[in-house]
Amino acid sequence: MDRFERQYILPGFGKEAQHKLKQAKVLVIGAGGLGCPVLLYLAAAGVGTIGIVDGDMVSLSNLNRQVLFGEGDLGLNKAETAGHFLKAKYHDIKINCIPEFITTQNIKAIFSKYDLIIDGSDNFPTRYLVNDACVLLGKPLVFGAVYQNEGQVAILNGKGHNSINYRDIFPDPPTAYEIPNCNETGVLGVLPGIIGTLQAAEAIKYLTGYGVALVDKMLFYNLLSHQSYSMELSKNPDSKKGIPFSMEALEATDYAVVCGDGDSVDWEEAFSLLNKFPGGTLIDVREADEFPKLKGFKFQSVPLDLIEEKHQEWLNSELILLFCQSGVRSLKAVKMLEKHFPGKKIHSISGGIEAPDSPIYK
Amino acid sequence: MALTSIQVIAFGMIAEKIKTKELVLEYMPDTEVLLGYLYQQYPDLQHTKFSIAINKKMAVGKTAIPVGAEVALLPPFSGG
């Protein structure tokens, strides 16, 4: 007997399917609300090689849904912490921890080592980047995403060349302002738990051929009503327009700009603007419990939901620069402040505190 | 539901913008007519991207709507 007996005695699964899991190399993008259940179940099921890519650190507000982490992990890297936990549980699988955010620069090298990609990211720039790279590199993608009490799951790019990809469904990225994420609208921890578990189930079905996987289909699930809706996806001629022509073209694409993040500047531009306009203001719009904190620079901390209320404070600032964890909420703050101060220089810092050029890495 | 109507179901942000998850509308022949009606009734939708499915199959471009069809309005989600 071994730890997989209960699944290989299932009629139709068998040792052959178990062997396929053992041979599989799966990359999980984001060890967050979706990534945690995906990782727990893939490791338990015996997927032989699991990569975990996440440059984020554990925050107190993550703990309602990111069940691999506890109070003792605050401030630690998510990929390394998740990997450490899984390695301690099982000796018979290989876990690769990549404590970085996926970017246009590292995506090709990271993807090349895996044969199935699972997207558990939390923003559109990453989701479109991952989709486009999967199309260009021919990798199947288990997609999952949540909004308030609803979730979506699909297997994209699962049939080779003529498969459906994310841009067939949504050719143009929405702006971050259009569709908020969990940090902004709230989420019960069990919802990404359910959707992430569905992603793990679909990955196992796809890898082994057990059952009918959601290839070229998208499932919608509503936690409050338990209603689900499954639709057959179709090819869309507009999808090709948005996908870079080659991996070289992808590497030169700015996905933050593609996703309507055009009001943004990078950290270097932000500091040069602050030098130029000494009366400028730098504002952290995250909640007080979010890490890492910016050190060595003068800034104010005003959470996004107080920006509107406090906007008069910045009436005389000649420049307002806003940052958050990943650049989503700060962009929203830009839109709010632009309404009060049309024409004022107001920018979000692209990628937020987690951006590759962030001062926290210097 | 009468056969001369269509049932519209909405998800996520779209349901918030039209303030309901389900609508029953007078029959409309295709997705362009339906979108024109929705944009007029709910101008907010013009600034929101979503996909349309007819009887659980994704519709691309101007697509005929069969009598009595169920039409779903499906926005992208980004959270994780």
Side-chain angles (χ1 to χ4, degrees):
Chain A
M1 202 211 291
D2 60 35
R3 72 181 180 100
F4 308 116
E5 194 204 53
R6 288 297 184 276
Q7 62 199 42
Y8 62 62
I9 61 171
L10 261 175
F13 197 85
K15 288 202 168 174
E16 198 186 325
Q18 191 60 49
H19 182 70
K20 286 179 183 164
L21 290 183
K22 177 82 191 155
Q23 297 300 312
K25 298 184 176 78
V26 177
L27 179 70
V28 180
I29 299 171
L34 295 169
C36 284
V38 168
L39 289 164
L40 280 164
Y41 279 105
L42 293 187
V47 168
T49 305
I50 300 175
I52 312 170
V53 51
D54 199 326
D56 197 9
M57 295 175 193
V58 180
S59 300
L60 189 59
S61 60
N62 296 151
L63 300 186
N64 83 317
R65 62 194 184 284
Q66 301 183 16
V67 294
L68 277 167
F69 313 123
E71 291 166 354
D73 301 319
L74 300 181
L76 299 177
N77 173 268
K78 291 183 185 178
E80 284 169 347
T81 309
H84 183 75
F85 181 83
L86 296 173
K87 281 177 191 171
K89 275 165 80 87
Y90 311 113
H91 74 285
D92 53 359
I93 56 173
K94 194 168 175 242
I95 307 278
N96 302 324
C97 305
I98 306 148
E100 296 167 28
F101 290 101
I102 202 94
T103 67
T104 53
Q105 304 308 303
N106 65 16
I107 196 164
K108 189 179 176 185
I110 294 174
F111 274 26
S112 68
K113 300 187 179 76
Y114 298 91
D115 36 47
L116 177 70
I117 311 297
I118 303 190
D119 186 2
S121 65
D122 65 355
N123 62 82
F124 285 118
T126 304
R127 292 187 178 281
Y128 277 85
L129 165 64
V130 167
N131 175 73
D132 294 354
C134 283
V135 172
L136 291 169
L137 298 169
K139 306 279 178 187
L141 170 66
V142 182
F143 176 90
V146 298
Y147 174 76
Q148 290 196 353
N149 296 299
E150 295 171 62
Q152 299 170 332
V153 184
I155 300 181
L156 303 171
N157 216 38
K159 279 184 182 165
H161 223 58
N162 272 323
S163 313
I164 308 285
N165 73 77
Y166 192 59
R167 287 192 193 257
D168 285 310
I169 321 166
F170 304 111
D172 303 310
T175 60
Y177 191 58
E178 209 174 297
I179 314 271
N181 68 18
C182 306
N183 289 345
E184 297 159 85
T185 66
V187 66
L188 286 177
V190 286
L191 176 69
I194 290 167
I195 300 301
T197 304
L198 287 174
Q199 283 181 279
E202 288 308 309
I204 291 168
K205 286 159 65 183
Y206 181 81
L207 290 167
T208 60
Y210 184 66
V212 182
L214 279 169
V215 177
D216 294 354
K217 290 191 180 74
M218 185 174 262
L219 175 76
F220 284 71
Y221 172 79
N222 186 316
L223 177 77
L224 299 185
S225 62
H226 281 306
Q227 277 179 342
S228 63
Y229 178 90
S230 173
M231 71 156 166
E232 197 184 322
L233 301 172
S234 311
K235 283 303 283 181
N236 184 342
D238 286 343
S239 81
K240 281 199 181 116
K241 289 184 207 157
I243 300 174
F245 181 70
S246 64
M247 279 310 286
E248 290 68 36
L250 179 142
E251 280 164 18
T253 302
D254 186 338
Y255 277 80
V257 172
V258 168
C259 295
D261 201 353
D263 293 322
S264 300
V265 294
D266 62 23
W267 280 100
E268 197 186 323
E269 288 171 274
F271 288 124
S272 83
L273 280 169
L274 282 169
N275 277 331
K276 209 162 139 195
F277 301 99
T281 310
L282 178 63
I283 308 169
D284 181 351
V285 299
R286 295 177 299 166
E287 301 296 321
D289 71 344
E290 290 181 84
F291 292 99
K293 299 293 181 198
L294 182 64
K295 289 194 182 106
F297 299 95
K298 198 180 143 206
F299 68 95
Q300 297 181 19
S301 279
V302 182
L304 181 67
D305 52 8
L306 296 176
I307 289 285
E308 196 81 65
E309 195 179 302
K310 295 202 166 180
H311 74 269
Q312 284 298 338
E313 288 187 20
W314 307 299
L315 184 65
N316 297 318
S317 284
E318 47 188 341
L319 164 77
I320 306 174
L321 292 170
L322 302 124
F323 70 95
C324 62
Q325 200 75 2
S326 64
V328 174
R329 281 171 284 170
S330 51
L331 195 63
K332 208 167 174 178
V334 169
K335 304 283 178 200
M336 288 176 178
L337 292 175
E338 276 175 345
K339 272 190 276 172
H340 294 289
F341 307 123
K344 198 191 270 293
K345 288 183 197 65
I346 308 172
H347 301 287
S348 158
I349 300 179
S350 185
I353 199 86
E354 293 168 343
D357 67 335
S358 163
I360 59 161
Y361 299 117
K362 288 179 181 141
Chain B
M1 195 177 72
L3 272 179
T4 52
S5 60
I6 52 175
Q7 190 186 9
V8 175
I9 54 174
F11 293 81
M13 179 69 91
I14 306 295
E16 281 168 37
K17 292 199 169 176
I18 70 172
K19 298 187 172 60
T20 178
K21 289 188 181 300
E22 285 185 27
L23 277 177
V24 176
L25 300 179
E26 289 286 304
Y27 177 71
M28 296 189 199
D30 61 55
T31 49
E32 269 182 17
V33 177
L34 174 66
L35 280 175
Y37 171 82
L38 291 171
Y39 289 159
Q40 189 201 7
Q41 290 292 308
Y42 311 99
D44 250 12
L45 285 186
Q46 293 174 37
H47 310 291
T48 308
K49 295 180 181 73
F50 58 95
S51 177
I52 297 178
I54 301 170
N55 292 332
K56 301 197 168 175
K57 181 165 172 46
M58 193 181 116
V60 177
K62 182 179 172 180
T63 306
I65 302 176
V67 174
E70 177 196 67
V71 179
L73 310 178
L74 309 139
F77 301 162
S78 72

